[in-house]
Amino acid sequence: MNKQTLTITDNRTGKNYEVPIENETVNAKDLRNIKVNDADFGLMTYDPAFMNTSICKSTITYIDGDNGILEHCGYPIEQLAEQSTFLEVAYLILHRELPNRKQLKKWTDDITLHTFVHENVKKLMEGFRYDAHPMGMFVSTLAALSTFYPEAKLIFDDELRRKQILRLIGKVPTVAAFAYRHTKGMPYVYPDNDLSFVGNYLSMMFKIAELRYKPHPVLEKALDVLFILHIDHEQNCSTTAMRVVGSSHSDPYSATAAAAAALYGPLHGGANEAVLSMLDEIGSVQNVPNFIKKVKEDKGKLMGFGHRVYKNYDPRARIIKKLADQVFDITGRNPKLDIALELERVALQDEYFIKRKLYPNVDFYSGLIYKAMGFPTDFFPVLFAIPRTAGWIAHWQEMILDSEQKITRPRQIYLGSKRREYITISRRG
Ligand code: ACO
């Protein structure tokens, strides 16, 4: 076998350095040995936005962006979406194995036990303005949960850590639904623990006067699949936020709030909301060519297109596109689907998008399904955050138990003024 090393010649000094290659990666710290003299700090890498930097070793999710492959613990996303359930996949990414029947029952019971929130959480949420963005309420309430569970700070206590994990997965749908009811001015609906994870969530969202809410089985299944598709996506912006904040050993509620805040942006989980606004703006299929022209002139982005990792069709978008038909059979077809299909058709044939390898991502079609199911547009990022919470905490746990991890603290290249003497204000001109 060839030697697994990299030889670097520093032309400043003429010296050679041999750096080990492990997992097709060089350790950035090895570059620090490359110095001009003993006083030199050593060579660093410059990588804004972590375009080519691995920040951890992980065993949760594998993505091959060039070939459009996504797997969780080895299982292809297509098989999980077709055959599994959200809670099963949540178990998988936290334990790295699918549960057997007994394990799944216990896991489901344990999470179901934690669906209720303290009454003061309700009071806290009542304090938000009537038109508060649901994601703002969601982020703030998640952070506030840390004040209800101060023991969550003991992150290295295995039992306590497990309890917070169950609480987080169990409570996020409740917090999310309360945020929705708040904006509608409707009474909050308490969890119904006889329903499935998704069924209960739909009940907390949409129950009105009926004694017991009965979710439509097709819509319940569709949302469960959407939850599976959003559960994890390795080192994306919000998961990295979770790891960075968690690396200072803050409690998991605070770290999850930070991750949700990162998700909120329109370049990440807020894109599904932005797609619907874009489709509204385009208005009709006839306006698609003009809109694409504007995007190519750099006057806006085709939201729901492009991805840092996928340079091929996002496999999740493919599954969602199929799912849309099943949902529209029940809810009626959303006329905006035609605009989306035309956008996709035109973009995938256009040199601009082909050259840049821009394909639909997970957010391109998900919003249309959410809309058809009755969720308001500004609620879409919350629908993303509910399942992604399981992914965030899987990564958080992996990070805090990884002996190679430390508090995240990157370096910078300082290009500001050199040292100078202070000038009193009267002499500043
Ligand atoms: N519409 C038009 N042009 C685009 C788009 C788009 N959606 N996405 C990328 N491009 C262009 C860029 O302008 C750039 O062109 P250039 O080389 O001429 O400068 C080129 O494609 C490369 O794009 P980058 O922005 O450098 O790619 P990056 O990896 O930094 O960004 C991102 C990825 C943020 C997802 C980007 O594609 C984007 O903004 N997409 C729209 C927002 C969106 O859908 N986000 C959801 C992503 S999925 C998720 O987070 C769940």
Side-chain angles (χ1 to χ4, degrees):
M1 194 166 113
N2 295 336
K3 216 170 161 190
Q4 293 295 302
T5 62
L6 176 75
T7 301
I8 301 169
T9 305
D10 185 348
N11 293 321
R12 298 171 301 176
T13 58
K15 281 194 198 161
N16 284 328
Y17 299 83
E18 196 170 342
V19 178
I21 298 176
E22 201 187 322
N23 301 314
E24 293 174 62
T25 312
V26 292
N27 190 326
K29 247 176 116 184
D30 288 339
L31 303 180
R32 289 269 289 278
N33 298 325
I34 303 177
K35 298 179 177 197
V36 176
N37 54 47
D38 285 346
D40 186 356
F41 180 78
L43 211 61
M44 290 193 297
T45 52
Y46 174 60
D47 189 8
F50 301 138
M51 298 284 287
N52 195 36
T53 295
S54 306
I55 61 157
C56 62
K57 293 173 183 164
S58 184
T59 56
I60 302 170
T61 292
Y62 170 76
I63 302 177
D64 175 344
D66 290 331
N67 294 306
I69 292 171
L70 167 61
E71 294 167 358
H72 296 306
C73 309
Y75 294 105
I77 190 65
E78 294 79 6
Q79 292 182 24
L80 292 172
E82 179 125 1
Q83 299 176 55
S84 199
T85 63
F86 168 71
L87 280 188
E88 224 185 352
V89 184
Y91 183 100
L92 170 70
I93 62 168
L94 275 148
H95 300 83
R96 313 296 194 272
E97 291 297 338
L98 285 167
N100 61 28
R101 258 183 228 286
K102 201 170 144 208
Q103 287 163 330
L104 182 60
K105 174 155 185 348
K106 178 157 172 40
W107 176 243
T108 308
D109 289 349
D110 286 350
I111 286 172
T112 308
L113 208 76
H114 289 288
T115 50
F116 277 73
V117 291
H118 192 288
E119 279 296 288
N120 285 2
V121 171
K122 212 176 88 179
K123 288 193 193 132
L124 181 118
M125 297 190 79
E126 279 163 3
F128 287 112
R129 289 190 57 150
Y130 70 95
D131 59 351
H133 193 288
M135 199 60 181
M137 290 191 257
F138 184 78
V139 169
S140 317
T141 310
L142 276 184
L145 282 183
S146 75
T147 66
F148 292 86
Y149 308 110
E151 73 276 18
K153 286 193 184 87
L154 302 172
I155 57 172
F156 293 108
D157 180 315
D158 293 347
E159 252 325 289
L160 283 176
R161 194 175 59 249
R162 181 176 149 79
K163 196 160 190 182
Q164 312 319 318
I165 290 173
L166 297 172
R167 279 183 175 146
L168 268 161
I169 299 177
K171 289 183 202 311
V172 284
T174 313
V175 171
F178 281 13
Y180 171 74
R181 303 290 290 203
H182 180 79
T183 55
K184 292 279 162 208
M186 290 173 77
Y188 300 166
V189 176
Y190 287 103
D192 180 344
N193 285 347
D194 288 333
L195 294 174
S196 71
F197 184 83
V198 168
N200 166 52
Y201 171 60
L202 289 169
S203 163
M204 291 189 291
M205 289 287 295
F206 298 125
K207 183 171 185 285
I208 301 183
E210 60 272 46
L211 274 182
R212 166 156 284 167
Y213 180 85
K214 268 206 200 126
H216 191 294
V218 174
L219 301 185
E220 185 182 6
K221 174 70 190 151
L223 193 57
D224 195 71
V225 172
L226 283 163
F227 278 6
I228 294 173
L229 298 180
H230 285 88
I231 199 165
D232 187 50
H233 212 231
E234 50 114 313
Q235 311 311 316
N236 53 84
C237 178
S238 54
T239 303
T240 302
M242 181 87 189
R243 281 180 173 265
V244 170
V245 174
S247 78
S248 72
H249 294 177
S250 57
D251 69 85
Y253 300 99
S254 304
T256 306
L263 186 79
Y264 189 3
L267 296 188
H268 189 14
N272 49 18
E273 186 181 348
V275 168
L276 258 277
S277 310
M278 175 187 76
L279 296 177
D280 280 340
E281 185 195 321
I282 297 171
S284 74
V285 171
Q286 289 74 22
N287 298 335
V288 165
N290 197 31
F291 180 80
I292 293 283
K293 187 168 161 271
K294 278 204 239 158
V295 170
K296 287 159 57 180
E297 289 164 357
D298 214 12
K299 290 181 187 154
K301 275 192 169 170
L302 177 49
M303 299 310 285
F305 254 68
H307 200 276
R308 171 62 58 79
V309 181
Y310 291 120
K311 301 302 165 198
N312 200 322
Y313 215 100
D314 181 335
R316 299 167 300 173
R318 220 185 276 285
I319 299 168
I320 291 178
K321 208 172 156 185
K322 274 199 221 145
L323 202 63
D325 291 331
Q326 294 165 27
V327 171
F328 293 157
D329 278 349
I330 310 293
T331 62
R333 192 180 158 91
N334 185 330
K336 293 196 190 86
L337 178 66
D338 294 326
I339 306 177
L341 288 169
E342 181 63 4
L343 275 172
E344 181 188 331
R345 192 191 66 77
V346 174
L348 293 186
Q349 290 177 4
D350 191 293
E351 191 50 31
Y352 176 96
F353 296 90
I354 295 170
K355 208 174 98 197
R356 290 169 178 78
K357 299 189 176 164
L358 301 171
Y359 291 86
N361 60 49
V362 68
D363 287 320
F364 194 64
Y365 288 106
S366 62
L368 288 169
I369 304 186
Y370 295 147
K371 196 88 197 163
M373 289 174 87
F375 295 100
T377 308
D378 63 359
F379 202 74
F380 296 173
V382 181
L383 284 163
F384 193 151
I386 296 169
R388 185 54 63 86
T389 298
W392 290 329
I393 44 182
H395 281 273
W396 168 76
Q397 175 157 264
E398 182 174 66
M399 185 264 308
I400 61 166
L401 298 181
D402 179 350
S403 61
E404 289 185 6
Q405 291 293 337
K406 283 172 174 285
I407 184 167
T408 308
R409 204 315 184 175
R411 299 276 173 174
Q412 63 163 8
I413 302 170
Y414 177 70
L415 298 174
S417 302
K418 292 271 183 287
R419 185 190 166 99
R420 48 188 169 161
E421 296 306 316
Y422 183 78
I423 307 167
T424 54
I425 196 158
S426 58
R427 291 180 51 229
R428 277 180 222 158

